[in-house]
Amino acid sequence: MTGHDPAPALDRIVGVGSVTLVGGGPGDPGLVTVARREAIERADVIVTDRLAPLAALAWARPDAEIIDVAKIPGGRSTSQEEINRLLVEHAKSGRHVVRFKGGDSFVFGRGGEELIACLDAGIEATVVPGVTSAIPAPPMAGIPVTHRGLTQGFTVISGHVAPGHPDSTLDHTALARSGSTIIVLMGVRTLGAICSALADGGLDPHTPAAVVADGAMPSQRVVRATLATIDEVATAAGLGAPAVAVIGAVADIEGLTSGTDA
């Protein structure tokens, strides 16, 4: 993406179909906005992920084509290149395509890659933003991401690759010293390594931590522990993806009453 200039692509928009990148929110179809529902209702083709609120597909027209491009951990996976091809191919055939995802398409969702692919192909593309699960899932489990007197900010990171991996760009020592709530998405598999890296960076091993699985859904579950023990506790409880980990004082519900400062 470095050096990519979308302006020339905007000048090449062709008069065919279109693509709408729709973020479906945290999982409960009741939280889908009016704009997202209208996009689904108008779509000729819906290219969907497994973490999108799939019950919302009931709003699609009976003749709409539904294409499942789910990436299943340890199972089948559709490459991003193939997803981009599908979006462009169907739009060029004159159809209105919705790319439907969970959370927000542009928070660890490769929405930027899909937008560029459409623009480079001369396809009109619009964005209907979603709400990343990092924000609503913790509060729905009784965990605020900020709280007066405890923390004045939060940092959302991807746990897709572990600390020390060649593809990791995160400074876990800086995160450990940031004083902010740390929210980890896509980190079920790597949570133990992330917690160890934060402890090595200076974060107190007794720092409260929690994992919220299936946030905003009837199957939602939450466990609470400490930085040193949260991975073991979550594993013992059988929590799996999708899950959001929260590390910081806000994860201790008893400590929330002590905050006094903005």
Side-chain angles (χ1 to χ4, degrees):
M1 293 176 59
T2 303
H4 182 93
D5 181 3
L10 293 172
D11 294 335
R12 300 196 303 272
I13 297 297
V14 295
V16 289
S18 62
V19 173
T20 304
L21 305 175
V22 177
D28 182 350
L31 300 177
V32 172
T33 63
V34 172
R36 296 177 209 155
R37 177 165 182 159
E38 290 177 346
I40 292 170
E41 291 173 336
R42 293 194 307 266
D44 298 310
V45 179
I46 301 175
V47 180
T48 186
D49 279 350
R50 71 183 183 92
L51 297 182
L54 299 180
L57 296 177
W59 301 326
R61 301 197 321 259
D63 62 337
E65 180 179 358
I66 310 296
I67 302 174
D68 180 3
V69 294
K71 295 180 175 69
I72 300 175
R76 68 180 180 87
S77 179
T78 306
S79 70
Q80 189 60 50
E81 291 74 16
E82 174 63 9
I83 293 172
N84 294 348
R85 186 193 67 78
L86 287 168
L87 298 178
V88 170
E89 180 181 273
H90 284 288
K92 281 191 171 181
S93 71
R95 308 173 86 184
H96 298 293
V97 183
V98 162
R99 175 69 170 109
F100 191 41
K101 302 185 181 186
D104 183 271
S105 302
F106 291 80
V107 180
F108 308 134
R110 299 194 176 184
E113 297 176 45
E114 293 168 357
L115 179 62
I116 288 172
C118 292
L119 295 178
D120 281 347
I123 301 298
E124 178 185 358
T126 57
V127 175
V128 179
V131 179
T132 172
S133 60
I135 308 303
M140 295 188 81
I143 304 170
V145 296
T146 63
H147 190 76
R148 187 162 60 99
L150 291 181
T151 180
Q152 299 172 4
F154 60 91
T155 304
V156 181
I157 68 171
S158 167
H160 183 65
V161 295
H165 190 282
D167 292 338
S168 176
T169 62
L170 297 174
D171 185 337
H172 290 84
T173 297
L175 287 171
R177 299 175 179 174
S178 68
S180 68
T181 302
I182 300 170
I183 301 173
V184 185
L185 300 184
M186 304 184 296
V188 170
R189 179 179 54 85
T190 58
L191 183 58
I194 291 170
C195 291
S196 294
L198 292 172
D200 290 344
L203 190 60
D204 186 344
H206 295 98
T207 299
V211 172
V212 182
D214 291 345
M217 299 176 68
S219 55
Q220 176 177 294
R221 297 175 63 197
V222 58
V223 297
R224 299 173 190 260
T226 66
L227 179 71
T229 61
I230 188 61
D231 181 51
E232 179 182 353
V233 170
T235 299
L239 268 57
V244 177
V246 183
I247 301 168
V250 293
D252 177 11
I253 194 167
E254 294 181 358
L256 297 181
T257 59
S258 64
T260 57
D261 299 324

